[in-house]
Amino acid sequence: MATYKVGGEVDALCTRCKLTLAHTILAMVGTKIARVRCNTCGGDHTYRSAPGSTDRASPSARSSSARAPSAPRAERPEKVVISFEEQLAGKDIANAPKYSPKDAYQLDQVIQHPTFGLGLVTAVRGDKVDIAFKAETKTLVHGRGGASAEKPVFSPPSARATGPADKPLSPSTTEADTAAPPATPPAED
Ligand SMILES: [Zn+2]
């Protein structure tokens, strides 16, 4: 509760007006308001804390203020739910290029995918594009036209460097090793 003082104003329930109104504080007991005067009807009466006790007291004001607080900031949904046909409406579907990972695409571009059909580019992130198809949204690669697309995109750095190749082959170890065979026999192809 805020700090009140005699002569100050406080919202209180007026017993005569039957409304929550501004009152002037007439007397206090400690930090509690003891007596108030209604600024509207001028009547003195014991202070009665304003809201809650009676539903009659300006119900409209309460309901409107109750749902007013800071609007949720996440009003914007991730994707506006409109039909796929609506999304494609006005697009140049007739000239939609066939999807190819070699080509680069732009936002809102319509493409024709051999498997998924018509799609609308909804996001471009580097070499990936999100394309909304009728069934679902797929993330595909694009802009890979520079190099041969047949090559694997990445090759593990030391895929072929197997352990035994690093060791010097000593042909004279056959007899010495018989006592202690290696725990892991060399893998044969
Ligand atoms: Zn009053």
Side-chain angles (χ1 to χ4, degrees):
M1 179 184 289
T3 55
Y4 295 109
K5 63 178 188 291
V6 173
E9 280 200 352
V10 63
D11 286 336
L13 176 67
C14 176
T15 51
R16 289 169 65 176
C17 300
K18 301 277 198 287
L19 287 171
T20 298
L21 295 165
H23 284 64
T24 300
I25 300 171
L26 296 180
M28 295 190 62
V29 176
T31 59
K32 292 183 184 305
I33 301 165
R35 195 160 184 84
V36 292
R37 171 179 293 156
C38 176
N39 291 356
T40 303
C41 67
D44 294 4
H45 56 82
T46 305
Y47 173 73
R48 295 169 73 171
S49 58
S53 53
T54 59
D55 288 333
R56 264 195 225 169
S58 60
S60 63
R62 288 183 58 193
S63 62
S64 66
S65 65
R67 55 185 308 141
S70 60
R73 48 180 171 76
E75 274 297 320
R76 193 169 48 139
E78 186 177 345
K79 282 190 175 63
V80 179
V81 180
I82 58 177
S83 75
F84 187 70
E85 286 75 11
E86 278 178 302
Q87 291 187 60
L88 291 183
K91 307 291 183 190
D92 194 3
I93 297 175
N95 293 321
K98 282 191 164 50
Y99 167 77
S100 165
K102 297 179 188 177
D103 295 335
Y105 300 106
Q106 298 173 347
L107 197 62
D108 282 339
Q109 190 171 3
V110 179
I111 59 96
Q112 176 78 43
H113 193 278
T115 304
F116 307 122
L118 276 175
L120 177 66
V121 177
T122 59
V124 178
R125 305 185 305 272
D127 65 347
K128 296 210 169 42
V129 284
D130 286 349
I131 301 181
F133 296 101
K134 190 172 180 62
E136 57 182 320
T137 297
K138 300 282 188 183
T139 298
L140 306 174
V141 297
H142 76 144
R144 296 274 174 84
S148 162
E150 320 308 328
K151 278 188 178 176
V153 176
F154 65 94
S155 54
S158 58
R160 305 189 71 86
T162 51
D166 292 331
K167 294 178 181 174
L169 294 174
S170 36
S172 64
T173 57
T174 42
E175 286 188 8
D177 281 345
T178 44
T184 57
E188 299 290 337
D189 283 333

mmCIF file of all heavy atoms in Angstrom, residues 92-116:
data_model
loop_
_atom_site.group_PDB
_atom_site.id
_atom_site.type_symbol
_atom_site.label_atom_id
_atom_site.label_comp_id
_atom_site.label_asym_id
_atom_site.label_seq_id
_atom_site.Cartn_x
_atom_site.Cartn_y
_atom_site.Cartn_z
ATOM 1 N N ASP A 92 4.416 -16.461 -60.416
ATOM 2 C CA ASP A 92 4.609 -16.849 -61.812
ATOM 3 C C ASP A 92 4.805 -18.355 -61.878
ATOM 4 O O ASP A 92 5.907 -18.853 -62.066
ATOM 5 C CB ASP A 92 5.816 -16.102 -62.381
ATOM 6 C CG ASP A 92 5.846 -16.194 -63.891
ATOM 7 O OD1 ASP A 92 4.906 -16.780 -64.476
ATOM 8 O OD2 ASP A 92 6.801 -15.680 -64.487
ATOM 9 N N ILE A 93 3.708 -19.058 -61.679
ATOM 10 C CA ILE A 93 3.808 -20.508 -61.608
ATOM 11 C C ILE A 93 4.207 -21.101 -62.959
ATOM 12 O O ILE A 93 4.967 -22.067 -63.034
ATOM 13 C CB ILE A 93 2.462 -21.097 -61.137
ATOM 14 C CG1 ILE A 93 2.165 -20.596 -59.721
ATOM 15 C CG2 ILE A 93 2.492 -22.609 -61.150
ATOM 16 C CD1 ILE A 93 0.818 -21.021 -59.203
ATOM 17 N N ALA A 94 3.701 -20.505 -64.010
ATOM 18 C CA ALA A 94 3.969 -21.069 -65.339
ATOM 19 C C ALA A 94 5.463 -21.107 -65.634
ATOM 20 O O ALA A 94 5.941 -22.022 -66.299
ATOM 21 C CB ALA A 94 3.241 -20.250 -66.396
ATOM 22 N N ASN A 95 6.182 -20.125 -65.132
ATOM 23 C CA ASN A 95 7.608 -20.060 -65.408
ATOM 24 C C ASN A 95 8.439 -20.553 -64.235
ATOM 25 O O ASN A 95 9.623 -20.243 -64.116
ATOM 26 C CB ASN A 95 8.015 -18.627 -65.761
ATOM 27 C CG ASN A 95 7.420 -18.185 -67.080
ATOM 28 O OD1 ASN A 95 7.343 -18.974 -68.026
ATOM 29 N ND2 ASN A 95 6.975 -16.954 -67.145
ATOM 30 N N ALA A 96 7.811 -21.294 -63.346
ATOM 31 C CA ALA A 96 8.560 -21.780 -62.189
ATOM 32 C C ALA A 96 9.668 -22.703 -62.661
ATOM 33 O O ALA A 96 9.409 -23.683 -63.360
ATOM 34 C CB ALA A 96 7.620 -22.526 -61.248
ATOM 35 N N PRO A 97 10.892 -22.422 -62.282
ATOM 36 C CA PRO A 97 11.994 -23.288 -62.718
ATOM 37 C C PRO A 97 11.980 -24.610 -61.965
ATOM 38 O O PRO A 97 11.468 -24.700 -60.849
ATOM 39 C CB PRO A 97 13.233 -22.462 -62.370
ATOM 40 C CG PRO A 97 12.804 -21.623 -61.208
ATOM 41 C CD PRO A 97 11.349 -21.316 -61.437
ATOM 42 N N LYS A 98 12.525 -25.605 -62.606
ATOM 43 C CA LYS A 98 12.683 -26.883 -61.924
ATOM 44 C C LYS A 98 13.744 -26.744 -60.847
ATOM 45 O O LYS A 98 14.775 -26.113 -61.051
ATOM 46 C CB LYS A 98 13.094 -27.966 -62.923
ATOM 47 C CG LYS A 98 11.953 -28.476 -63.757
ATOM 48 C CD LYS A 98 12.371 -29.715 -64.516
ATOM 49 C CE LYS A 98 11.169 -30.472 -65.060
ATOM 50 N NZ LYS A 98 10.242 -29.591 -65.805
ATOM 51 N N TYR A 99 13.450 -27.351 -59.718
ATOM 52 C CA TYR A 99 14.420 -27.252 -58.626
ATOM 53 C C TYR A 99 15.696 -27.980 -58.992
ATOM 54 O O TYR A 99 15.672 -29.095 -59.514
ATOM 55 C CB TYR A 99 13.856 -27.854 -57.343
ATOM 56 C CG TYR A 99 14.926 -28.061 -56.301
ATOM 57 C CD1 TYR A 99 15.408 -26.976 -55.566
ATOM 58 C CD2 TYR A 99 15.490 -29.305 -56.078
ATOM 59 C CE1 TYR A 99 16.412 -27.141 -54.635
ATOM 60 C CE2 TYR A 99 16.486 -29.486 -55.151
ATOM 61 C CZ TYR A 99 16.955 -28.400 -54.426
ATOM 62 O OH TYR A 99 17.951 -28.578 -53.516
ATOM 63 N N SER A 100 16.799 -27.327 -58.724
ATOM 64 C CA SER A 100 18.098 -27.961 -58.875
ATOM 65 C C SER A 100 19.003 -27.423 -57.781
ATOM 66 O O SER A 100 19.006 -26.221 -57.507
ATOM 67 C CB SER A 100 18.704 -27.642 -60.243
ATOM 68 O OG SER A 100 20.092 -27.963 -60.226
ATOM 69 N N PRO A 101 19.743 -28.302 -57.148
ATOM 70 C CA PRO A 101 20.650 -27.798 -56.098
ATOM 71 C C PRO A 101 21.723 -26.889 -56.650
ATOM 72 O O PRO A 101 22.391 -26.201 -55.894
ATOM 73 C CB PRO A 101 21.244 -29.082 -55.509
ATOM 74 C CG PRO A 101 21.011 -30.130 -56.533
ATOM 75 C CD PRO A 101 19.774 -29.743 -57.288
ATOM 76 N N LYS A 102 21.876 -26.889 -57.965
ATOM 77 C CA LYS A 102 22.901 -26.016 -58.550
ATOM 78 C C LYS A 102 22.416 -24.573 -58.650
ATOM 79 O O LYS A 102 23.221 -23.658 -58.742
ATOM 80 C CB LYS A 102 23.272 -26.504 -59.959
ATOM 81 C CG LYS A 102 23.886 -27.882 -59.972
ATOM 82 C CD LYS A 102 24.189 -28.270 -61.413
ATOM 83 C CE LYS A 102 24.623 -29.726 -61.492
ATOM 84 N NZ LYS A 102 24.845 -30.127 -62.906
ATOM 85 N N ASP A 103 21.114 -24.400 -58.708
ATOM 86 C CA ASP A 103 20.593 -23.052 -58.884
ATOM 87 C C ASP A 103 20.443 -22.366 -57.540
ATOM 88 O O ASP A 103 20.269 -23.011 -56.508
ATOM 89 C CB ASP A 103 19.232 -23.100 -59.594
ATOM 90 C CG ASP A 103 19.376 -23.626 -61.011
ATOM 91 O OD1 ASP A 103 20.481 -23.502 -61.580
ATOM 92 O OD2 ASP A 103 18.387 -24.164 -61.534
ATOM 93 N N ALA A 104 20.497 -21.063 -57.604
ATOM 94 C CA ALA A 104 20.256 -20.260 -56.401
ATOM 95 C C ALA A 104 18.860 -19.671 -56.481
ATOM 96 O O ALA A 104 18.417 -19.241 -57.549
ATOM 97 C CB ALA A 104 21.296 -19.147 -56.288
ATOM 98 N N TYR A 105 18.200 -19.654 -55.353
ATOM 99 C CA TYR A 105 16.814 -19.204 -55.325
ATOM 100 C C TYR A 105 16.663 -18.006 -54.408
ATOM 101 O O TYR A 105 17.514 -17.734 -53.559
ATOM 102 C CB TYR A 105 15.894 -20.346 -54.887
ATOM 103 C CG TYR A 105 15.983 -21.514 -55.828
ATOM 104 C CD1 TYR A 105 16.651 -22.672 -55.454
ATOM 105 C CD2 TYR A 105 15.451 -21.434 -57.103
ATOM 106 C CE1 TYR A 105 16.765 -23.735 -56.320
ATOM 107 C CE2 TYR A 105 15.561 -22.492 -57.969
ATOM 108 C CZ TYR A 105 16.212 -23.640 -57.584
ATOM 109 O OH TYR A 105 16.330 -24.684 -58.453
ATOM 110 N N GLN A 106 15.555 -17.353 -54.603
ATOM 111 C CA GLN A 106 15.291 -16.155 -53.816
ATOM 112 C C GLN A 106 13.983 -16.331 -53.068
ATOM 113 O O GLN A 106 13.150 -17.163 -53.423
ATOM 114 C CB GLN A 106 15.186 -14.925 -54.730
ATOM 115 C CG GLN A 106 16.470 -14.635 -55.484
ATOM 116 C CD GLN A 106 16.284 -13.538 -56.500
ATOM 117 O OE1 GLN A 106 15.149 -13.165 -56.795
ATOM 118 N NE2 GLN A 106 17.378 -13.030 -57.017
ATOM 119 N N LEU A 107 13.840 -15.504 -52.071
ATOM 120 C CA LEU A 107 12.623 -15.516 -51.276
ATOM 121 C C LEU A 107 11.415 -15.291 -52.181
ATOM 122 O O LEU A 107 11.454 -14.479 -53.107
ATOM 123 C CB LEU A 107 12.696 -14.424 -50.217
ATOM 124 C CG LEU A 107 11.712 -14.534 -49.048
ATOM 125 C CD1 LEU A 107 11.962 -15.801 -48.261
ATOM 126 C CD2 LEU A 107 11.875 -13.318 -48.144
ATOM 127 N N ASP A 108 10.367 -16.016 -51.902
ATOM 128 C CA ASP A 108 9.092 -15.888 -52.614
ATOM 129 C C ASP A 108 9.153 -16.431 -54.036
ATOM 130 O O ASP A 108 8.219 -16.255 -54.803
ATOM 131 C CB ASP A 108 8.618 -14.431 -52.665
ATOM 132 C CG ASP A 108 8.003 -14.018 -51.336
ATOM 133 O OD1 ASP A 108 7.604 -14.927 -50.584
ATOM 134 O OD2 ASP A 108 7.920 -12.818 -51.072
ATOM 135 N N GLN A 109 10.227 -17.073 -54.367
ATOM 136 C CA GLN A 109 10.298 -17.640 -55.702
ATOM 137 C C GLN A 109 9.526 -18.964 -55.730
ATOM 138 O O GLN A 109 9.525 -19.725 -54.762
ATOM 139 C CB GLN A 109 11.756 -17.881 -56.090
ATOM 140 C CG GLN A 109 11.931 -18.242 -57.549
ATOM 141 C CD GLN A 109 13.409 -18.260 -57.939
ATOM 142 O OE1 GLN A 109 14.280 -18.064 -57.099
ATOM 143 N NE2 GLN A 109 13.676 -18.495 -59.202
ATOM 144 N N VAL A 110 8.888 -19.204 -56.842
ATOM 145 C CA VAL A 110 8.162 -20.452 -57.005
ATOM 146 C C VAL A 110 9.027 -21.397 -57.822
ATOM 147 O O VAL A 110 9.594 -21.004 -58.840
ATOM 148 C CB VAL A 110 6.817 -20.220 -57.715
ATOM 149 C CG1 VAL A 110 6.081 -21.534 -57.904
ATOM 150 C CG2 VAL A 110 5.968 -19.258 -56.915
ATOM 151 N N ILE A 111 9.144 -22.610 -57.350
ATOM 152 C CA ILE A 111 9.945 -23.592 -58.066
ATOM 153 C C ILE A 111 9.114 -24.853 -58.263
ATOM 154 O O ILE A 111 8.103 -25.064 -57.606
ATOM 155 C CB ILE A 111 11.262 -23.919 -57.323
ATOM 156 C CG1 ILE A 111 10.977 -24.454 -55.926
ATOM 157 C CG2 ILE A 111 12.147 -22.685 -57.234
ATOM 158 C CD1 ILE A 111 10.975 -25.949 -55.831
ATOM 159 N N GLN A 112 9.560 -25.659 -59.170
ATOM 160 C CA GLN A 112 8.891 -26.922 -59.445
ATOM 161 C C GLN A 112 9.833 -28.032 -59.047
ATOM 162 O O GLN A 112 10.925 -28.165 -59.603
ATOM 163 C CB GLN A 112 8.551 -27.010 -60.943
ATOM 164 C CG GLN A 112 7.939 -28.327 -61.360
ATOM 165 C CD GLN A 112 6.473 -28.412 -60.986
ATOM 166 O OE1 GLN A 112 5.728 -27.469 -61.162
ATOM 167 N NE2 GLN A 112 6.059 -29.540 -60.469
ATOM 168 N N HIS A 113 9.435 -28.804 -58.064
ATOM 169 C CA HIS A 113 10.297 -29.883 -57.602
ATOM 170 C C HIS A 113 9.792 -31.194 -58.183
ATOM 171 O O HIS A 113 8.586 -31.449 -58.189
ATOM 172 C CB HIS A 113 10.269 -29.945 -56.076
ATOM 173 C CG HIS A 113 11.354 -30.817 -55.501
ATOM 174 N ND1 HIS A 113 11.241 -32.179 -55.419
ATOM 175 C CD2 HIS A 113 12.560 -30.499 -54.999
ATOM 176 C CE1 HIS A 113 12.351 -32.671 -54.871
ATOM 177 N NE2 HIS A 113 13.165 -31.677 -54.609
ATOM 178 N N PRO A 114 10.701 -32.035 -58.675
ATOM 179 C CA PRO A 114 10.252 -33.282 -59.304
ATOM 180 C C PRO A 114 9.482 -34.185 -58.363
ATOM 181 O O PRO A 114 8.625 -34.962 -58.803
ATOM 182 C CB PRO A 114 11.554 -33.929 -59.761
ATOM 183 C CG PRO A 114 12.631 -33.254 -58.996
ATOM 184 C CD PRO A 114 12.147 -31.862 -58.724
ATOM 185 N N THR A 115 9.779 -34.128 -57.099
ATOM 186 C CA THR A 115 9.102 -35.003 -56.139
ATOM 187 C C THR A 115 7.966 -34.309 -55.422
ATOM 188 O O THR A 115 6.870 -34.852 -55.278
ATOM 189 C CB THR A 115 10.107 -35.512 -55.094
ATOM 190 O OG1 THR A 115 11.176 -36.168 -55.763
ATOM 191 C CG2 THR A 115 9.420 -36.484 -54.137
ATOM 192 N N PHE A 116 8.220 -33.072 -54.973
ATOM 193 C CA PHE A 116 7.254 -32.418 -54.088
ATOM 194 C C PHE A 116 6.287 -31.509 -54.829
ATOM 195 O O PHE A 116 5.328 -31.037 -54.260
ATOM 196 C CB PHE A 116 7.987 -31.613 -53.020
ATOM 197 C CG PHE A 116 9.004 -32.418 -52.274
ATOM 198 C CD1 PHE A 116 10.331 -32.034 -52.245
ATOM 199 C CD2 PHE A 116 8.636 -33.583 -51.618
ATOM 200 C CE1 PHE A 116 11.267 -32.789 -51.565
ATOM 201 C CE2 PHE A 116 9.580 -34.340 -50.929
ATOM 202 C CZ PHE A 116 10.897 -33.946 -50.908
#
